Amino acid sequence: PAQIVRPAVLLAAAGFQGRPSGFQVVPMRARAGAGRSAGAARARPREEKPQVGLKQLGSYEKVLETFKRYDTDRNGSMSFKEMHKLMCDLNPGRWTEADSDRLLPLVDKNRNGNIDVNEFIAFIFEGNDSATTSAPAGMSQYEKVLQQFRLFDSNRNGTLDKAEFTRLMSSLQPGRWSVQATEMVFQAVDLNNSGEVDMDELVAYLFGVPKELQNNAQKKHGHGPLLIIEFVIGPGNPESFVQQMANRWKRDFGDEVAVSRIIKKDVKGIMRVSTRNGEIVFWDDASMLPFRPNPFLTMESLKAWLDDMSRRHMPRLLSGTKAVGRSMSKESHPVGAV
C-alpha cells in the first residue's frame, strides 16, 4: 500500500523536510486513478493559504499595540466593525463577515457585543492567563513570569510602575518581597531609565544574561550571538530538525541567534529546549508532557511552536540582552567622561 504523510500541505508550509519523531505515517490503499497523467495532476486546485488568527499576533506588547490601533473610537473596547477590520487586514481577501460572526462570541465572554482589552488578551493567551495569581500545572518559571506580568499590568500600557512591580514580585516571592525591596532594585531593573519596567527588562533581571552575551551586546561590529537556544535531543531525525530550525532562525535573526545541541543516545526526539544556561525553559519532557501535548509530534504543532518562538520569545530575549549591553556601556562610559 502507498504511504502518505499527513498533512502534506503543513509539511511544505513549515519549510521542513522529513518528519518529526512521532509524526504519523498512515497506510492508505492505492487510490482510484492513481495512474492518471501528469497533466491531470497539475490541474488539481491549489491548497488555500490558512487564515491568520488573533493568536498569531505575537508578543504581549504587539497584542496591546494592535488592540489600541483598531480601537479607533478610543472607547477601550473593540466593536464588531473594528474587530472585523482587524481580521480583514490580517487576511486580505480571505475573511468574511460570517467568519467574524463566528469569532466574536469566542472572544466576547461577557456577551455585550464588544471586546474589551482583557477579553482580547485572555483569548489570545488562553490557558496562560487567569483571574488569579495561580499558574496552570506544567508551566516553566519563565512562562509564569510572563503570565504574572500580563496579570499585574493593570492599566494595560505594557509596562509596570513601581506599585505594579511590587505586586508582581510579591506574587512570585510571597512573604519575601516588600516596597522597600522594590525601591532597592527598581532602578537596576529599569535598564532604560523610563521610570517603568517592561517585560524584556523584567525577564533580563529575573533570569539573568550570561556574561559572554552581555559582552557581545556591547560590541558594535563583529559580535558573537546574543541568544543561544539550547537543545537536548536524541540522535538521527531530531538532529536534522534542529538544524532546519537553526537555518530558519539564521534567516530571521542573522548571527544574533545560535543553536547548541547536546545529543544523548538514550533520548528519542527533542527532550528539552532552553536558553540562558538552562534558566529559561521553552520545553521540558519531564515537567511539561503530563500537562500539555508534545509540540514536536506533528508538523502542525511544530510549525505553531516555531512561529511562537520567532514572534514572541526570541525578539524579547534579544531585546533584553541588548538593553543590558547598552546599560553596561553607559556605566563604562558615563556622560561627560573623557
Side-chain angles (χ1 to χ4, degrees):
Q3 299 279 318
I4 297 177
V5 178
R6 300 175 184 248
V9 64
L10 290 169
L11 189 70
F16 284 92
Q17 319 213 342
R19 64 180 187 273
S21 174
F23 192 62
Q24 296 297 313
V25 180
V26 183
M28 300 282 290
R29 292 184 178 178
R31 298 183 180 182
R36 62 187 174 178
S37 67
R42 284 195 297 270
R44 290 168 58 189
R46 280 185 170 185
E47 295 282 352
E48 287 190 11
K49 185 178 179 181
Q51 289 180 332
V52 177
L54 291 176
K55 296 184 181 184
Q56 293 169 269
L57 284 175
S59 68
Y60 175 64
E61 296 86 348
K62 179 70 180 295
V63 168
L64 288 177
E65 176 190 325
T66 300
F67 184 91
K68 291 172 183 175
R69 185 164 68 249
Y70 283 88
D71 175 21
T72 52
D73 57 8
R74 301 293 185 267
N75 69 344
S77 64
M78 199 178 288
S79 66
F80 176 88
K81 181 179 178 180
E82 290 167 334
M83 182 202 73
H84 182 64
K85 174 69 166 62
L86 164 60
M87 298 309 298
C88 287
D89 287 350
L90 291 175
N91 299 277
R94 297 183 293 114
W95 191 267
T96 66
E97 283 202 4
D99 292 321
S100 289
D101 284 334
R102 288 188 290 270
L103 177 62
L104 182 65
L106 300 177
V107 188
D108 176 24
K109 294 301 184 182
N110 65 6
R111 300 293 189 267
N112 69 348
N114 295 302
I115 300 169
D116 64 39
V117 66
N118 292 322
E119 290 173 325
F120 194 67
I121 289 167
F123 175 77
I124 291 172
F125 298 101
E126 186 178 13
N128 292 323
D129 286 78
S130 64
T132 70
T133 57
S134 61
M139 260 192 174
S140 71
Q141 194 63 30
Y142 168 69
E143 290 171 320
K144 291 176 185 176
V145 167
L146 301 189
Q147 178 210 41
Q148 296 299 292
F149 188 103
R150 294 190 292 265
L151 182 64
F152 288 103
D153 176 22
S154 53
N155 60 0
R156 295 301 186 198
N157 68 343
T159 59
L160 303 178
D161 60 23
K162 285 186 177 181
E164 292 169 330
F165 178 81
T166 300
R167 289 195 289 272
L168 179 146
M169 293 302 298
S170 297
S171 172
L172 294 176
Q173 301 184 29
R176 294 184 291 120
W177 197 264
S178 64
V179 173
Q180 291 74 22
T182 292
E183 292 297 335
M184 290 175 62
V185 305
F186 196 83
Q187 187 173 354
V189 184
D190 178 20
L191 295 170
N192 63 2
N193 298 315
S194 66
E196 298 190 324
V197 169
D198 63 33
M199 197 178 279
D200 304 351
E201 293 170 330
L202 180 67
V203 169
Y205 167 69
L206 290 176
F207 297 97
V209 177
K211 191 68 175 177
E212 176 189 354
L213 302 187
Q214 293 183 30
N215 293 336
N216 289 345
Q218 292 185 77
K219 300 174 184 176
K220 293 184 178 180
H221 304 288
H223 60 71
L226 304 181
L227 176 64
I228 300 174
I229 306 298
E230 305 143 5
F231 286 87
V232 179
I233 59 176
N237 234 15
E239 296 178 76
S240 173
F241 275 90
V242 169
Q243 184 57 53
Q244 291 180 64
M245 292 183 207
N247 293 343
R248 170 173 168 173
W249 292 332
K250 176 77 172 178
R251 291 194 303 270
D252 292 348
F253 302 104
D255 294 332
E256 291 187 342
V257 174
V259 168
S260 71
R261 306 162 182 82
I262 296 175
I263 301 170
K264 295 188 174 183
K265 293 182 180 180
D266 59 338
V267 168
K268 292 183 178 179
I270 297 173
M271 187 177 81
R272 182 179 171 90
V273 188
S274 60
T275 190
R276 297 198 178 158
N277 296 330
E279 292 295 320
I280 292 177
V281 177
F282 304 112
W283 175 254
D284 178 64
D285 269 0
S287 62
M288 295 179 177
L289 201 51
F291 305 101
R292 67 176 85 172
N294 187 330
F296 307 114
L297 284 184
T298 70
M299 274 300 170
E300 184 176 17
S301 60
L302 173 58
K303 183 177 184 300
W305 183 86
L306 259 178
D307 288 345
D308 199 50
M309 287 287 289
S310 294
R311 285 194 310 265
R312 291 180 179 167
H313 303 298
M314 298 171 84
R316 173 179 323 292
L317 297 170
L318 286 169
S319 174
T321 299
K322 292 173 183 177
V324 170
R326 286 191 297 270
S327 177
M328 290 177 62
S329 295
K330 289 178 182 178
E331 292 174 7
S332 301
H333 305 284
V335 176
V338 178

